[in-house]
Amino acid sequence: MNPALTQFGAQMSHLTGVRAIMKDIIETLRAGSGQEFINLSAGNPVILPEVEQLWRDCTAELLAGPEYGEVVCRYGSSQGYQPLIDAVRTDFNQRYGLNLTDRNILITPGSQSIYFYAANAFGGYTTSKQLKNIVLPLSPDYTGYGGVSLIPEAVVACKPTLDIDAAAHRFKYRPDFSQLSIDQSTGCVIFSRPCNPTGNVLSDDEVKKIADLAAAFDVPVFVDSAYGPPFPSLNFTEMTPIFGGNIVHCMSLSKAGLPGERIGIAIGDEKLIQVLECFQTNMCIHSPRYGQAIATRAITSGALADISINVIRPYYQSKFAIVESTLEQAMPKDLPWFLHRGEGAIFAWLWLKDLPMTDWELYQELKKVGVIVVPGSSFFPGLREDWQHKHECLRISLTATNDEIETAMKRLAQMVEKLYQSVDS
């Protein structure tokens, strides 16, 4: 059967960003012909024993409790499972000194759905045919933002400034406020903090400046905190979640060990939350309730916040330290390689300035020596400018074993050294 697709059907039936790459990676792993690969492409969190046990314990409590049938066998409110809303409200009010009410919170099937709702409720064409842009103030950023809008031309990203420490082979992206345009043509702003793929954490002042620019035009700002505190707390540097005004604080429990249950949490102004809730009602009625019920227990007991700080964060921080130390030892000092400062998330981001080939070509070459990474050019959705830097970066997952990461970084260093030598010779 070959049905005719609508404009939206054609757009949404194509994979974007990393999802498109994963097909090639899966085929590579299947057709390995005995070759052993170190797969540093994964975005799946590692199943940590303590984290898995927490969710087993919460599940056992739910199964033994009287509310199991009500949770699993009945429909619920589009806004979310009320005990989870209460747990989030109580936790955040106590932890951050807020005055949240029930109406400030929405539970969604994963945080990706929040950005889909937001991008299409606030971005795209208005009833008067005016295009409202979805602004990504710092590029590179999460590849998924490239596929959330039904109007692709609405997604607009801003080229950053690069804060480079050449002697240390480190760098950091910063918003370029001289280029950031937020005005009456802006529908909403979205960015991740900590950032997938780079691990970058925007400062409190940078977040507030973006929010103030947007507030002047009544534009909502969606801060993707899928890696932020209080859970999963995958920030390796101190950072403060920022609430109130036009900011919608968006969370996910995926990196806290529940990616299979798809739980997103949006916290913001009641009017913004109501728009997102109506969108959700029309799309999927409500988020799955089993995951919400076990998350309620983990948050209420304090166990989720505790395990995030004491188990999840140190695990990935130690992995980044291995990437860092191995590259420092294996990479020639005279080559223009720069590792993004590790401020959070579960990835490392490597920039190879003046790379003699594209990131996609390097990806293919690394597969020949048994190393799989993700080409960095997939992480610049909405950036219209032809920027060479986009083709000089790699995303490296921190989900492999210590030995695998060390071996892969040594192979990568050898490959990179040969590439630059071939140009010099």
Side-chain angles (χ1 to χ4, degrees), residues 9-266:
Q11 180 190 333
M12 299 304 287
S13 63
H14 288 90
L15 298 176
T16 60
V18 173
R19 291 295 177 182
I21 300 167
M22 290 309 295
K23 183 175 184 293
D24 179 75
I25 291 173
I26 291 169
E27 290 174 354
T28 297
L29 293 171
R30 285 177 178 169
S33 301
Q35 183 179 5
E36 293 291 329
F37 288 99
I38 299 174
N39 187 358
L40 301 184
S41 69
N44 246 335
V46 175
I47 301 175
L48 302 175
E50 301 92 333
V51 178
E52 181 182 5
Q53 191 59 52
L54 168 64
W55 297 120
R56 285 181 179 274
D57 292 344
C58 292
T59 297
E61 290 179 23
L62 174 62
L63 289 171
E67 73 272 32
Y68 176 82
E70 187 68 25
V71 166
V72 176
C73 303
R74 299 187 68 84
Y75 289 111
S77 163
S78 292
Q79 187 184 354
Y81 181 55
Q82 189 61 45
L84 177 56
I85 292 172
D86 293 340
V88 171
R89 184 197 67 225
T90 300
D91 184 277
F92 276 64
N93 284 346
Q94 291 176 350
R95 190 181 300 276
Y96 299 113
L98 304 176
N99 293 297
L100 300 175
T101 71
D102 292 3
R103 300 307 303 167
N104 297 121
I105 300 167
L106 175 68
I107 312 299
T108 68
S111 60
Q112 175 86 357
S113 61
I114 301 174
Y115 314 123
F116 183 81
Y117 304 161
N120 295 291
F122 302 107
Y125 289 98
T126 66
T127 53
S128 59
K129 307 303 181 184
Q130 178 191 2
L131 179 62
K132 290 284 190 175
N133 291 321
I134 300 141
V135 173
L136 313 181
L138 187 71
S139 187
D141 209 331
Y142 175 49
T143 184
Y145 301 151
V148 293
S149 176
L150 293 172
I151 310 297
E153 63 268 29
V155 181
V156 178
C158 300
K159 182 180 171 182
T161 61
L162 276 60
D163 184 352
I164 302 171
D165 183 346
H169 291 277
R170 299 293 183 277
F171 82 110
K172 175 179 169 65
Y173 296 111
R174 295 191 182 278
D176 185 349
F177 287 100
S178 69
Q179 301 296 319
L180 178 57
S181 177
I182 298 176
D183 53 29
Q184 64 274 6
S185 68
T186 306
C188 64
V189 177
I190 305 175
F191 60 87
S192 60
R193 180 181 188 246
C195 176
N196 169 5
T198 66
N200 192 23
V201 173
L202 270 66
S203 70
D204 292 359
D205 287 344
E206 287 169 338
V207 174
K208 290 173 183 175
K209 189 170 182 178
I210 292 169
D212 288 346
L213 290 171
F217 298 95
D218 283 332
V219 170
V221 175
F222 292 84
V223 182
D224 180 348
S225 300
Y227 297 88
F231 24 81
S233 282
L234 276 165
N235 54 301
F236 307 152
T237 185
E238 286 298 318
M239 61 171 284
T240 306
I242 298 174
F243 304 91
N246 59 330
I247 292 177
V248 181
H249 182 77
C250 308
M251 301 169 57
S252 166
L253 297 189
S254 292
K255 301 308 185 287
L258 280 185
E261 286 307 303
R262 313 307 302 130
I263 298 177
I265 303 169

Side-chain angles (χ1 to χ4, degrees), residues 388-425:
Q388 181 59 32
H389 180 89
K390 292 195 299 184
H391 307 286
E392 298 177 339
C393 300
L394 299 173
R395 191 189 77 173
I396 300 163
S397 174
L398 304 178
T399 56
T401 67
N402 293 355
D403 288 344
E404 286 174 332
I405 291 175
E406 183 176 349
T407 299
M409 291 305 96
K410 289 178 179 177
R411 293 179 187 175
L412 185 152
Q414 291 172 353
M415 175 70 70
V416 168
E417 184 175 11
K418 289 178 182 177
L419 288 175
Y420 283 98
Q421 284 177 345
S422 65
V423 174
D424 292 338
S425 61

Side-chain angles (χ1 to χ4, degrees), residues 236-297:
F236 307 152
T237 185
E238 286 298 318
M239 61 171 284
T240 306
I242 298 174
F243 304 91
N246 59 330
I247 292 177
V248 181
H249 182 77
C250 308
M251 301 169 57
S252 166
L253 297 189
S254 292
K255 301 308 185 287
L258 280 185
E261 286 307 303
R262 313 307 302 130
I263 298 177
I265 303 169
I267 300 173
D269 180 88
E270 179 177 340
K271 290 183 179 179
L272 296 175
I273 293 297
Q274 187 173 24
V275 170
L276 300 178
E277 182 185 343
C278 289
F279 208 113
Q280 175 157 283
T281 303
N282 288 321
M283 185 170 179
C284 62
I285 304 179
H286 62 70
S287 181
R289 282 157 56 88
Y290 159 75
Q292 294 185 69
I294 62 174
T296 301
R297 288 162 167 76

